């Protein structure tokens, strides 16, 4: 089951490439759009980390069958951790790709200057440039506020399934040390971090995907045995 990133959708490179890989292996696969993303209904600005977590859990409950390996990209890495905490009995393993738990606080709010913070509080929305879209990203204050209910990197994470974390050391958006921090505080006894020296945030090159999908295959095979 694939969980996409902030403002991405299920037609992205990794989402569709993983489907092809799963089909070739004869494995079932689920990809979906969070509310306010892609083909799903809803306004993006109404979305929050909690509501997108709920979307993922709903897909686990209503669409997926059996125990799942969750693959989370960027924000999807945060969502997969939250989904695993909500439904531990349904999760056989986790594969994070530049996983970005707590990004609303650590990579947005804490990096905004005082003027930006005041504007965000007063107007409720600001627009910030993006390297991944021709248009600026709208950031709602409610996203920041609600995200504080779901911060994970401040205490032990009570997840016990196998976890594989892939991160590019040249990621300009999410520090690669985030993967190390997750590995330090998660309670699973089977956690591995893989750093790609020349990898960027997306890790969408053929060689990147081949290595990441090998981790997916490993955890799927273990769950099936």
């Amino acid at each position: 089951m694939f969980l996409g990133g902030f403002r991405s959708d299920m037609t992205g490179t990794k989402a569709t490439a993983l489907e092809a890989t799963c089909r070739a292996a004869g494995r079932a696969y689920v990809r979906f759009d969070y509310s306010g993303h892609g083909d799903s209904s809803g306004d993006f600005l109404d979305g929050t980390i909690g509501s997108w977590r709920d979307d993922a859990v709903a897909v686990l409950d209503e669409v997926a069958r059996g125990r799942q390996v969750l693959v989370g990209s960027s924000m999807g890495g945060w969502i997969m951790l939250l989904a695993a905490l909500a439904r531990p009995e349904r999760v056989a393993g986790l594969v994070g790709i530049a996983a970005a738990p707590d990004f609303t606080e650590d990579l947005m709010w804490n990096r905004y200057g005082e003027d930006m913070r005041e504007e965000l509080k007063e107007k409720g929305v600001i627009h910030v440039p993006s390297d991944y879209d021709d248009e600026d990203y709208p950031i709602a204050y409610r996203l920041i506020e609600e995200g504080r209910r779901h911060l994970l990197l401040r205490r032990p994470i009570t997840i016990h399934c196998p976890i594989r974390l892939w991160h590019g050391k040249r990621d300009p958006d999410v520090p690669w040390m985030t993967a190390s921090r997750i590995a330090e505080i998660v309670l699973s006894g089977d956690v591995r971090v893989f750093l790609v020296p020349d990898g960027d945030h997306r890790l969408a090159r053929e060689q990147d995907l081949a290595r990441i999908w090998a981790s997916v295959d490993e955890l799927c095979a273990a769950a099936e045995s």
Side-chain angles (χ1 to χ4, degrees):
M1 177 171 155
F2 185 80
L3 300 94
F6 188 67
R7 286 183 65 84
S8 66
D9 60 52
M10 62 179 170
T11 66
T13 300
K14 290 187 285 290
T16 54
L18 182 54
E19 177 173 2
T21 298
C22 288
R23 284 182 180 275
R27 291 194 175 103
Y29 173 69
V30 178
R31 56 188 168 106
F32 69 99
D33 286 332
Y34 310 112
S35 59
H37 288 69
D39 290 332
S40 288
S41 61
D43 188 330
F44 173 77
L45 286 175
D46 291 333
T48 60
I49 298 302
S51 68
W52 295 328
R53 183 274 316 274
D54 291 346
D55 291 342
V57 171
V59 173
L60 262 178
D61 289 345
E62 305 296 334
V63 179
R65 295 291 180 267
R67 297 173 72 226
Q68 301 293 307
V69 171
L70 306 184
V71 182
S73 176
S74 194
M75 181 185 80
W78 189 359
I79 302 298
M80 80 175 183
L81 292 167
L82 293 172
L85 288 167
R87 295 290 186 273
E89 73 284 356
R90 296 295 312 284
V91 177
L94 303 175
V95 178
I97 306 169
D102 301 8
F103 78 90
T104 53
E105 192 73 8
D106 297 339
L107 306 182
M108 288 182 172
W109 185 254
N110 289 346
R111 291 186 177 184
Y112 292 164
E114 193 60 34
D115 289 346
M116 287 183 68
R117 291 185 184 186
E118 288 304 315
E119 182 182 2
L120 187 52
K121 288 180 181 178
E122 291 174 9
K123 296 182 178 179
V125 179
I126 60 172
H127 291 78
V128 299
S130 168
D131 292 332
Y132 306 103
D133 199 318
D134 292 335
E135 299 180 356
D136 290 349
Y137 279 0
I139 305 298
Y141 187 50
R142 67 159 58 208
L143 175 72
I144 304 294
E145 282 194 305
E146 199 276 343
R148 291 175 178 141
R149 303 178 191 174
H150 308 288
L151 300 178
L152 295 178
L153 299 180
R154 277 75 176 161
R155 63 188 63 86
I157 303 173
T158 55
I159 293 174
H160 300 278
C161 66
I163 301 174
R164 305 292 179 262
L165 300 168
W166 287 85
H167 216 117
K169 292 195 74 174
R170 294 185 180 177
D171 186 337
D173 302 303
V174 181
W176 62 263
M177 292 77 78
T178 304
S180 299
R181 177 62 180 158
I182 297 169
E184 287 173 1
I185 63 175
V186 75
L187 299 187
S188 170
D190 184 3
V191 184
R192 300 178 197 171
V193 175
F194 301 95
L195 300 178
V196 182
D198 62 345
D200 61 9
H201 182 62
R202 286 182 167 175
L203 290 182
R205 301 170 301 182
E206 281 190 26
Q207 63 268 34
D208 298 327
L209 295 180
R211 289 180 288 194
I212 295 167
W213 299 162
S215 288
V216 175
D217 184 68
E218 173 211 351
L219 296 188
C220 286
E224 294 162 356
S225 62

